[in-house]
Amino acid sequence: MQAAVMRANNVPLEIEEVAIDDPGPGEVLVKTAASGVCHSDLTVIEGGLPVPPPSILGHEPAGVVEAVGAGVTDFSPGDHVIGCLSSWCGVCKFCTGGRPYLCLTQFAGRPEGAAPRLTAANGDPILQFGNLSSFAEKMLSPERSLVKIRDDMPLDRACLIGCGVTTGLGAALNTVNIPAGASVAIIGCGGVGLAALQGARIVGAGQIIAVDAQAWKFNLAQKLGATHCVDASDVDPVAAVQEITGGGADFVFECIGLVSTVQQAVAMTGRGGTSVLVGVVPITQKVEISAADLTLQEKKITGSFMGSNRFRFDMPKYIDFYLDGRLHLDEMISSRLPLAEVNDAFDRMRRGEAARQVIVFE
Ligand SMILES: NC(=O)c1ccc[n+]([C@@H]2O[C@H](COP(=O)([O-])OP(=O)(O)OC[C@H]3O[C@@H](n4cnc5c(N)ncnc54)[C@H](O)[C@@H]3O)[C@@H](O)[C@H]2O)c1
Ligand SMILES: [Zn+2]
Ligand SMILES: [Zn+2]
């Protein structure tokens, strides 16, 4: 099969012929139909998350089951599925405690000594990213990395739910509890931020303030539910949000992953409010914040990982939201492209020229 292989950090992905193994026990072979391009893939390419090359990125997929391994009972060939990084074991304390997205073994891969799932033309193993690696014509995944979805859901939109939508929407619906009428600011209107924004709209937030440095995003943000837009390239976003909300927002979602915007998020959170850190700051960087600001104004900060998902429960619900007209996905897709153009997608992402880009397979 064709796949885009990361051979080294900070260089373009290479389109190569790669071998994919047959499904082992508990595994499912999926023909990839579409894969969204998430900023976390770019963070990996730039060395900000530890996924060593050679590896195949892509973790926002939808596709069709081609074959299943021994013992697989949840899927059959022909099923439409979404893949998710949040593979769960079902027995660790996080799984049994109701937070499977924190599962201790979610990135474990095949057992020690087993053949690799992915192999280069020269026979060398290629690392699979998060049990998915969707920048490839096929994926070989544990059944607990997949969820079956309705056949009437278009796969080129379903894929967005695999990461960005679940991350943003889940941050608003699962990680925190936003009362109707609360003020919400979203910093960063990429795929993740626009999904958090829609989550705020769906739960009935009051003011919904979209902050971005690319003013062209605001038309889209307003269509998706923003009541106010703040151009961070033009004004001080902290002062602007404080002004709009009368002292700071009740909830602020940082959906970029920069040190400076995390600091802005905490600063524009109002008294008693909550800053939700969704963006992934490169692991080599630290963020300085005022502890007194947190104490004296009783602000809370929480991380939000993969939208605090229970994806087999959440994703079919999000698809119903889309098909009922409550979750807008068509508008979030700024372009569809073939796998061969994946590097162009990352260039557009670096320049801030894209909303969500989707790789579609024949
Ligand atoms: N927490 C999780 O589980 C999780 C899951 C997926 C993605 N992420 C992270 O979420 C973040 C967003 O991902 P995405 O795919 O939506 O990214 P994206 O690149 O599509 O969007 C980022 C947005 O931020 C804007 N921006 C950049 N710098 C800015 C600045 N200084 N001020 C204001 N706006 C600015 C860009 O214009 C763009 O609209 C990334 O850090 C990604 O790694 C986290
Ligand atoms: Zn992602
Ligand atoms: Zn577990």
Side-chain angles (χ1 to χ4, degrees):
M1 66 168 182
Q2 294 268 297
V5 182
M6 180 177 79
R7 284 278 160 199
N9 291 115
N10 292 305
V11 298
L13 305 181
E14 305 253 4
I15 306 295
E16 295 181 20
E17 195 58 34
V18 168
I20 189 162
D21 204 8
D22 293 328
E27 292 179 345
V28 178
L29 183 67
V30 177
K31 187 174 186 306
T32 318
S35 174
V37 180
C38 174
H39 203 110
S40 300
D41 294 309
L42 182 56
T43 307
V44 171
I45 292 171
E46 293 177 341
L49 281 169
V51 179
S55 49
I56 298 175
L57 306 180
H59 62 278
E60 193 175 272
V64 180
V65 172
E66 203 164 271
V68 301
V72 171
T73 52
D74 296 351
F75 299 94
S76 313
D79 283 350
H80 290 197
V81 295
I82 294 176
C84 180
L85 286 179
S86 304
S87 205
W88 84 99
C89 76
V91 295
C92 76
K93 71 172 184 178
F94 295 103
C95 287
T96 51
R99 292 191 292 173
Y101 59 95
L102 295 177
C103 177
L104 291 167
T105 60
Q106 60 191 312
F107 299 128
R110 274 184 164 172
E112 260 324 280
R117 291 191 181 128
L118 301 166
T119 317
N122 66 1
D124 288 347
I126 297 181
L127 187 86
Q128 189 183 33
F129 180 36
N131 287 310
L132 296 170
S133 290
S134 60
F135 294 159
E137 290 173 316
K138 293 183 186 187
M139 296 178 293
L140 182 57
S141 301
E143 61 178 327
R144 286 177 173 177
S145 296
L146 304 171
V147 55
K148 183 170 152 54
I149 60 166
R150 292 166 60 167
D151 284 347
D152 57 344
M153 178 66 189
L155 293 170
D156 63 345
R157 276 142 277 173
C159 70
L160 301 189
I161 293 173
C163 179
V165 166
T166 288
T167 296
L169 199 54
L173 302 186
N174 295 336
T175 308
V176 291
N177 198 351
I178 304 176
S183 57
V184 174
I186 312 286
I187 312 182
C189 298
V192 172
L194 291 172
L197 192 154
Q198 296 202 60
R201 189 198 72 236
I202 287 169
V203 300
Q207 294 170 318
I208 302 177
I209 308 162
V211 181
D212 206 285
Q214 299 278 339
W216 71 268
K217 299 241 157 138
F218 296 145
N219 190 17
L220 179 56
Q222 278 162 346
K223 271 192 213 151
L224 300 181
T227 60
H228 300 73
C229 296
V230 171
D231 183 353
S233 72
D234 186 38
V235 298
D236 172 9
V238 175
V241 169
Q242 284 172 338
E243 166 81 28
I244 294 165
T245 54
D250 297 321
F251 294 89
V252 178
F253 294 86
E254 198 285 345
C255 301
I256 304 177
L258 295 173
V259 170
S260 60
T261 49
V262 169
Q263 289 168 323
Q264 289 167 7
V266 178
M268 68 173 70
T269 299
R271 295 171 78 78
T274 304
S275 313
V276 185
L277 306 187
V278 183
V280 181
V281 175
I283 52 164
T284 50
Q285 299 174 20
K286 300 268 189 282
V287 182
E288 192 175 292
I289 49 162
S290 160
D293 191 32
L294 301 185
T295 308
L296 303 179
Q297 300 193 50
E298 202 169 283
K299 294 185 184 182
K300 289 180 272 298
I301 302 182
T302 179
S304 176
F305 185 45
M306 293 301 292
S308 311
N309 75 77
R310 298 125 313 160
F311 74 84
R312 287 240 182 129
F313 171 72
D314 292 327
M315 291 187 179
K317 187 172 62 181
Y318 297 162
I319 286 175
D320 291 343
F321 283 177
Y322 169 75
L323 292 171
D324 293 348
R326 275 176 291 171
L327 172 66
H328 308 306
L329 299 179
D330 301 64
E331 295 80 353
M332 286 175 60
I333 300 176
S334 54
S335 58
R336 291 175 173 78
L337 51 140
L339 182 64
E341 293 171 21
V342 63
N343 293 304
D344 301 330
F346 286 117
D347 288 340
R348 278 191 289 272
M349 181 180 277
R350 285 188 187 92
R351 294 193 298 262
E353 290 172 7
R356 211 42 154 196
Q357 306 178 84
V358 175
I359 294 171
V360 286
F361 295 82
E362 284 311 307

